[in-house]
Amino acid sequence: MPVARVVVDVMLKPEILDPQGQAVQRALPRLGYQGIADVRQGKRFELEVEGPVDEAALARIHELAETFLANTVIEDFVVKVEESVAAGESK
Amino acid sequence: MPVARVVVDVMLKPEILDPQGQAVQRALPRLGYQGIADVRQGKRFELEVEGPVDEAALARIHELAETFLANTVIEDFVVKVEESVAAGESK
């Protein structure tokens, strides 16, 4: 049974204030890192999906992300298929 | 001045227990989602970098990620250049 890794990236919408990202960004010059204009912090979910990731499976994962992984009032999300690994093959 | 987006993905090492990911995975059948063998949850940082992202800039960001964004005792991280946008161009 092939297993595929599907990634769901969840980030705050651009217009939403990102205090965590700003805290990181404000600390950078003090740590000697210049030239980084902005930092945004979000969540990354890696889902190991059994079986082929066809249109139907992707639609289900999209629905799962929309209802469960992201708060779509303040967050955007992106679903990406990263790799397919036949079970038993080394990663 | 071109601005590039560099992404740093920070995930728990495979051998480290991921209670957040497990909580999501255990809830999925109850919500009607079958066929998802594993869920891992981590952090995604989007850095807007001023100027070209050459080898030196990437090395600096790698160092920044290693010392500041990830706890390398329990976490792995990946640095990826996602896109270069010349300032003023619409994204």
Side-chain angles (χ1 to χ4, degrees), chain A residues 15-30:
Chain A
E15 66 274 17
I16 303 289
L17 188 69
D18 175 8
Q20 287 181 301
Q22 283 187 346
V24 171
Q25 192 202 350
R26 273 198 306 269
L28 295 182
R30 200 161 27 85

Side-chain angles (χ1 to χ4, degrees), chain A residues 54-84:
Chain A
D54 51 21
E55 284 301 317
L58 268 181
R60 294 278 291 155
I61 291 170
H62 196 276
E63 185 196 322
L64 162 66
E66 197 162 32
T67 52
F68 194 52
L69 301 180
N71 170 355
T72 50
V73 172
I74 58 168
E75 291 171 329
D76 291 325
F77 66 91
V78 172
V79 177
K80 293 179 280 195
V81 180
E82 269 207 352
E83 57 178 48
S84 280

Side-chain angles (χ1 to χ4, degrees), chain B residues 6-76:
Chain B
V6 176
V7 172
V8 179
D9 286 327
V10 179
M11 297 298 291
L12 286 170
K13 289 179 189 276
E15 65 274 19
I16 303 290
L17 189 68
D18 176 7
Q20 287 181 301
Q22 284 188 344
V24 171
Q25 192 200 350
R26 274 198 305 270
L28 295 182
R30 195 159 34 82
L31 294 163
Y33 294 99
Q34 312 299 341
I36 295 182
D38 191 28
V39 175
R40 309 271 304 169
Q41 178 174 341
K43 289 173 282 189
R44 172 185 165 95
F45 294 93
E46 290 180 0
L47 311 175
E48 304 292 335
V49 179
E50 288 153 4
V53 181
D54 51 20
E55 284 302 316
L58 268 181
R60 294 280 290 156
I61 291 169
H62 196 276
E63 185 196 321
L64 162 66
E66 196 162 35
T67 53
F68 194 53
L69 302 181
N71 171 354
T72 50
V73 173
I74 58 168
E75 292 172 330
D76 291 325

